[in-house]
Amino acid sequence: MSINEERIKLFKTDLEQAFTALQLSIEDESHLHAGHAGAASGGGHFRLRIVAPEFDSLSTVARHRAVYAALNRHIPKEIHALTISALTPKEAGL
C-alpha cells in the first residue's frame, strides 16, 4: 500500500467521525502535480466527494470549512491540495 493510500484511509476515518457520510470517495491526484513546488513538501493532492445531511443548511464555503476542520490534523503535512465536492443527499439525488 502506498503512503497516499494509507493517508486516504485516515482521511476517511476522520471524515466518517465528523459526518454521516452517505457517499465518500477520495482520489489521489498527486501524480498530476509532479514537479509542482508543493509536491516537494511531501503532501499529496486529493479530490474528495462527500454526501452528508450535515451540509443541508450550509453554504459552499461553510461546507468546505467543515471538511477542512475534520481534516485539520492532516493539513499541510499530508494534504497539500484538496478539491472538495460536498453535497447534500438531495443535491446528490439520494
Side-chain angles (χ1 to χ4, degrees):
M1 180 178 296
S2 76
I3 186 73
N4 281 344
E5 289 172 328
E6 291 176 23
R7 289 173 172 171
I8 287 171
K9 287 176 78 173
L10 295 173
F11 303 160
K12 285 184 176 181
T13 297
D14 289 349
L15 290 164
E16 288 168 348
Q17 289 177 350
F19 304 104
T20 308
L22 303 177
Q23 293 181 350
L24 176 59
S25 64
I26 304 174
E27 297 176 46
D28 180 7
E29 295 187 336
S30 300
H31 63 283
L32 300 174
H33 303 276
H36 179 270
S41 71
H45 291 241
F46 301 94
R47 178 175 299 275
L48 163 68
R49 184 176 191 274
I50 183 170
V51 178
E54 289 87 350
F55 300 134
D56 196 34
S57 62
L58 300 179
S59 69
T60 300
V61 171
R63 294 174 190 192
H64 286 213
R65 285 181 180 150
V67 168
Y68 282 120
L71 295 173
N72 187 51
R73 72 184 182 110
H74 304 287
I75 300 169
K77 185 176 180 190
E78 293 139 348
I79 298 174
H80 171 72
L82 183 63
T83 302
I84 301 170
S85 175
L87 305 171
T88 67
K90 184 177 178 180
E91 291 167 339
L94 300 180

